[in-house]
Amino acid sequence: MKHCEEAAALDRDDPLRALRDQFALADGVIYLDGNSLGVPPKAAAARAADVIRGA
């Protein structure tokens, strides 16, 4: 269990931790796809709609 505790501590102390809330991640999902553009930001769908509408 020590590795799980260490990983949890690293997550807790990560200075970029607050940025996670800006992305559309499902609860409990660990995203490990290094061969994509990544998880979309929550604001991406609304921004794309604005561009399509010409706003």
Side-chain angles (χ1 to χ4, degrees), residues 19-45:
L19 296 177
R20 181 179 174 86
D21 293 335
Q22 295 180 18
F23 295 90
L25 290 166
D27 288 338
V29 170
I30 298 173
Y31 188 78
L32 298 174
D33 190 354
N35 193 24
S36 74
L37 295 175
V39 177
K42 290 177 181 175

Side-chain angles (χ1 to χ4, degrees), residues 1-53:
M1 278 306 241
K2 185 173 182 176
H3 295 294
C4 290
E5 293 168 5
E6 290 171 353
L10 288 170
D11 284 344
R12 184 188 61 243
D13 298 338
D14 186 348
L16 300 177
R17 180 176 152 216
L19 296 177
R20 181 179 174 86
D21 293 335
Q22 295 180 18
F23 295 90
L25 290 166
D27 288 338
V29 170
I30 298 173
Y31 188 78
L32 298 174
D33 190 354
N35 193 24
S36 74
L37 295 175
V39 177
K42 290 177 181 175
R47 178 64 183 127
D50 287 346
V51 169
I52 291 168
R53 286 193 308 265

